[in-house]
Amino acid sequence: MTPDPRPSLAGGQPDVTPMLGVLAAASDWQSFCEVLDRSIATWLPSTRLDIYAIDSDGLTSRRYTSEDAPPLQLASAEIMLRDQLPLQGYGAMLVKPLVGAGRQSGWLVLARKRGSVSSAERAIAEALAPLIALWLRYDQTVAQLAHSRECEALLEQRLQSTQSLRLRATLAAGAAHDIGNLFTTVLGYAQILQQDLPADFQDDLRMISRAAEDGRELLRRLQVDERVPIARATLETSVAQIVRDVAKLTRPLWERQADVRVQTLLDGAPMVRMPAEELREVLVNLLMNAIAAVTEAGTITIYGRAVGDRAMISVTDTGQGIARENHSAIFQPLMTTRVDGSGLGLSVSRALVESNGGTLIVESEPGQGATFTIALPLAV
């Protein structure tokens, strides 16, 4: 049998035990407020009851009101309550701190437009305050627990993602090691062939060996521990030689397109202090992009020249061009305008050039082809 929540008088003071029992039996804060809402007219007739809570950030918000009242503009101080309620026509007020488990959780406010707050209403407020304080603490604890569980789930998700990335990195390191062994095998067979094949094939074999050596060096760069400083190469690299190498290395790609022509225009022989394999890697990336851009008949030109204290190397194609709004984006990792592109070549190329004190820029308009220009400090 549900206890009667209406307070009875005992010695002139209300017996609040039944109503506290009903409130204490509520399943959650919402149920608590529903019970309070149904019973408030009986317990505190003609009296408005508000409950304010202090959140974990020290801000105050109203959690319950027995009337359809506009929200109060509150700070966290009791004086603000005393200033605001009279503006809404309430002449009598009782503000009771809600203290539970040794900490203030908010305020209980009783207010009347007529008459004063009676001693019976004060006794009810005194009885309600500890229970409401504990409910606020409980409700805040439940919210904090839910937030903690969300954070825990997010951390668990990130941990799984990290473990997946770590596994992929381990597999990639193993693959890089195995690919390095394959390059070594290719180099070994190329050296054997160089001893037996006629002179007409020697130049092609040298290109095969150079490509394998560059591939092995690229893999070595991937496997270097980032915590160990890498000694930069100090040998001077000939721009003219690298441009000629790149044209030969990529010849199988552009020669099979009968209407595509690659030409080199070299003005002098500028020398730069960029490792040869890195400069070759950058130019191969640029030339392969140019080959992909020239979908019909066209020309790709590689320029090499010295301008002041810089070596300028440009790769110009007569392809489809690049929209101006994509000029910056194409240098971002995994960003590509090609269906079959990986979005890595240009970002890696710019990083390599900049690590050697240079710049890599693009000039292009749709339908007008594209020019990628490398500027590197001259070797002095």
Side-chain angles (χ1 to χ4, degrees):
M1 181 175 180
T2 304
D4 186 354
R6 292 174 297 178
S8 59
L9 294 177
Q13 294 298 323
D15 180 9
V16 297
T17 302
M19 65 176 175
L20 294 179
V22 174
L23 287 172
S27 58
D28 52 32
W29 175 254
Q30 183 177 353
S31 300
F32 179 91
C33 291
E34 289 173 355
V35 173
L36 190 61
D37 199 49
R38 289 195 303 266
S39 306
I40 197 67
T42 302
W43 295 342
L44 301 167
S46 303
T47 303
R48 169 177 165 176
L49 186 149
D50 287 0
I51 298 172
Y52 295 89
I54 303 173
D55 64 21
S56 57
D57 296 326
L59 302 176
T60 303
S61 61
R62 185 166 61 198
R63 298 294 304 276
Y64 173 85
T65 182
S66 60
E67 296 186 7
D68 185 15
L72 296 179
Q73 300 300 316
L74 289 176
S76 60
E78 179 181 340
I79 190 171
M80 292 299 294
L81 295 169
R82 297 187 183 278
D83 289 344
Q84 291 288 334
L85 285 172
L87 296 177
Q88 298 181 19
Y90 292 92
M93 183 187 346
L94 171 66
V95 178
K96 177 70 178 175
L98 297 175
V99 180
R103 193 180 76 181
Q104 183 173 348
S105 303
W107 290 274
L108 172 65
V109 181
L110 296 183
R112 295 178 62 92
K113 291 186 176 180
R114 299 181 183 84
S116 59
V117 178
S118 67
S119 60
E121 290 172 331
R122 290 177 181 274
I124 292 175
E126 290 286 344
L128 283 175
L131 181 59
I132 293 174
L134 290 175
W135 264 109
L136 287 177
R137 289 295 306 278
Y138 171 76
D139 188 53
Q140 291 170 351
T141 301
V142 169
Q144 291 170 355
L145 180 60
H147 178 68
S148 297
R149 287 173 176 168
E150 290 178 1
C151 292
E152 181 181 357
L154 181 60
L155 289 174
E156 180 67 25
Q157 182 180 358
R158 290 179 177 175
L159 178 60
Q160 291 177 356
S161 177
T162 300
Q163 291 174 337
S164 176
L165 289 173
R166 185 176 299 167
L167 175 60
R168 291 170 63 184
T170 301
L171 294 174
H177 176 270
D178 294 341
I179 293 172
N181 289 339
L182 292 177
F183 278 129
T184 300
T185 302
V186 170
L187 280 169
Y189 275 99
Q191 290 167 357
I192 293 173
L193 289 173
Q194 282 179 322
Q195 298 172 7
D196 300 328
L197 290 180
D200 291 346
F201 295 95
Q202 293 300 316
D203 195 43
D204 290 338
L205 284 172
R206 279 193 293 271
M207 287 301 101
I208 293 173
S209 296
R210 182 154 292 165
E213 288 170 354
D214 285 352
R216 193 165 60 176
E217 176 61 25
L218 188 152
L219 290 173
R220 186 199 66 79
R221 195 170 69 229
L222 292 176
Q223 293 173 310
V224 168
D225 190 337
E226 293 181 354
R227 295 169 296 181
V228 180
I230 302 175
R232 303 297 299 175
T234 58
L235 296 177
E236 295 181 353
T237 297
S238 168
V239 170
Q241 183 60 54
I242 296 299
V243 168
R244 286 191 289 265
D245 287 349
V246 169
K248 292 178 181 179
L249 283 168
T250 57
R251 190 178 67 186
L253 301 176
W254 53 265
E255 268 195 346
R256 65 189 179 192
Q257 296 179 237
D259 295 329
V260 174
R261 184 167 63 98
V262 173
Q263 62 182 8
T264 61
L265 297 177
L266 304 173
D267 182 7
M271 305 291 289
V272 295
R273 287 191 181 276
M274 180 172 182
E277 66 276 3
E278 292 186 3
L279 185 54
R280 265 196 302 269
E281 180 181 347
V282 171
L283 286 175
V284 165
N285 281 334
L286 296 182
L287 192 53
M288 291 180 68
N289 284 349
I291 294 169
V294 182
T295 55
E296 298 178 358
T299 301
I300 300 169
T301 305
I302 308 175
Y303 298 89
R305 62 201 183 279
V307 179
D309 62 349
R310 312 285 279 184
M312 311 297 291
I313 313 167
S314 299
V315 177
T316 298
D317 65 69
T318 58
Q320 56 196 358
I322 304 168
R324 184 168 295 275
E325 60 268 21
N326 290 329
H327 284 192
S328 297
I330 58 175
F331 290 103
Q332 300 301 316
L334 305 181
M335 171 60 191
T336 180
T337 57
R338 289 163 42 196
V339 175
D340 60 343
S342 66
L344 293 173
L346 287 175
S347 62
V348 170
S349 296
R350 174 173 274 186
L352 287 173
V353 171
E354 291 180 348
S355 69
N356 287 278
T359 59
L360 172 58
I361 62 172
V362 62
E363 297 177 66
S364 180
E365 294 288 346
Q368 302 298 317
T371 296
F372 287 84
T373 300
I374 303 166
L376 288 167
L378 289 173
V380 291

